[in-house]
Amino acid sequence: MCQRFSMAAELQEVQEHFQIDRTMYYYKNRYNISPTQHMPVVLQQNKERILDEYRWGFIPYWGKDAVNADLRSVHLNPSYRKMVDKQRCVIPCNGFYYWKKEGKKSYPVRVVMRDRKMFGIAGLYEIWKDHKGDPLRTCTLLMTEANRLIGEFDNRMPAILSQEDMNHWLNEDTMDLDLLDPILRTLPADEMFAYAVTPLIDNDAHDSMECIQEMDLEKAWVKR
């Protein structure tokens, strides 16, 4: 599972990269986003590209709090398929975290593009009602088969979209999972790079530039 990621870039860069028409919340850099926290999402509504903030993790009546949606589950679960029809989004990201285990010790790594640019992850969103009837905006990341690099840490990885595929994914006129499925492919390992980072990323409250800085491997090891 992917349970932490970063989105740290100037707002203007984000707006340009994702072709945003309207920004609906006070954007700020995030270096360590974890489940149940709020995070940026890109949606397309009435042909307009919107940057908004949603809670990471569904609270659906049909299961547990869903942080990552496996593509296999999306095909089999009617509730997911319904969301694919009309409730697709893109999660802006510029790096995500995994733990590399060796024996009883492990260390955290940050996975980025080789050019260090931001990218978009295919996502789904849902708006629930809390006990007061107030809307609760939630979202999840779509997972696909891990490439050779990510396979060292996990068997699944985020479904990363190219610019062209991102346009297809957000296209409101496309409402067929079978047509969209081919773009949810595994990104080649040679387009990505991983490096050790501080173990403090395991702390939900630790959200600073220190999270994304490369760390000496000797200092990154911890017992888990």
Side-chain angles (χ1 to χ4, degrees):
M1 288 181 70
C2 174
Q3 295 202 6
R4 294 181 186 277
F5 71 96
S6 63
M7 182 59 248
E10 294 300 317
L11 177 59
Q12 185 175 349
E13 294 180 66
V14 178
Q15 291 170 327
E16 291 175 355
H17 184 88
F18 295 97
Q19 301 172 16
I20 301 299
D21 298 304
R22 276 196 299 152
T23 300
M24 304 297 292
Y25 77 107
Y26 178 73
Y27 171 86
K28 64 179 181 179
N29 285 332
R30 295 294 312 278
Y31 302 95
N32 185 20
I33 303 170
S34 59
T36 74
Q37 294 183 350
H38 284 75
M39 64 184 196
V41 298
V42 177
L43 308 98
Q44 192 155 304
Q45 298 174 344
N46 299 319
K47 310 299 182 183
E48 188 175 44
R49 197 73 62 86
I50 296 169
L51 179 66
D52 207 341
E53 187 178 47
Y54 278 48
R55 175 193 184 275
W56 185 7
F58 288 154
I59 314 175
Y61 63 88
W62 40 263
K64 295 180 179 179
D65 193 26
V67 173
N68 299 155
D70 193 297
L71 284 178
R72 293 170 294 193
S73 301
V74 171
H75 280 280
L76 297 174
N77 192 313
S79 297
Y80 274 136
R81 289 191 69 98
K82 180 182 176 183
M83 279 185 251
V84 171
D85 288 346
K86 297 181 179 180
Q87 293 161 221
R88 301 186 298 272
C89 62
V90 169
I91 315 300
C93 179
N94 71 342
F96 47 92
Y97 302 102
Y98 283 104
W99 285 85
K100 183 174 177 59
K101 297 180 180 179
E102 291 187 14
K104 294 183 179 180
K105 296 197 301 181
S106 61
Y107 64 91
V109 298
R110 182 171 184 250
V111 181
V112 297
M113 296 294 108
R114 282 204 171 272
D115 59 11
R116 301 300 179 100
K117 290 184 178 180
M118 71 186 83
F119 51 92
I121 299 170
L124 300 172
Y125 72 90
E126 180 64 288
I127 300 177
W128 306 92
K129 299 282 187 178
D130 64 16
H131 66 284
K132 297 180 180 179
D134 295 327
L136 180 60
R137 296 173 173 82
T138 65
C139 62
T140 189
L141 279 63
L142 285 177
M143 297 288 112
T144 188
E145 296 288 342
N147 59 29
R148 177 172 40 83
L149 174 65
I150 306 300
E152 297 181 28
F153 322 123
D154 202 344
N155 61 359
R156 313 297 287 169
M157 65 175 285
I160 297 172
L161 301 171
S162 67
Q163 284 285 1
E164 181 180 357
D165 289 342
M166 185 163 57
N167 292 334
H168 288 312
W169 182 250
L170 291 175
N171 188 341
E172 298 167 276
D173 297 327
T174 304
M175 295 185 292
D176 187 337
L177 177 58
D178 294 329
L179 294 176
L180 292 166
D181 194 54
I183 72 175
L184 302 174
R185 55 183 177 268
T186 301
L187 191 74
D190 59 8
E191 295 184 30
M192 310 182 82
F193 172 72
Y195 61 89
V197 293
T198 173
L200 287 173
I201 62 116
D202 211 26
N203 181 344
D204 291 356
H206 193 75
D207 186 13
S208 72
M209 189 176 290
E210 183 182 5
C211 294
I212 67 173
Q213 293 172 342
E214 187 166 2
M215 172 168 270
D216 187 300
L217 189 55
E218 293 300 317
K219 298 179 181 179
W221 286 106
V222 296
K223 290 184 178 181
R224 285 171 66 86

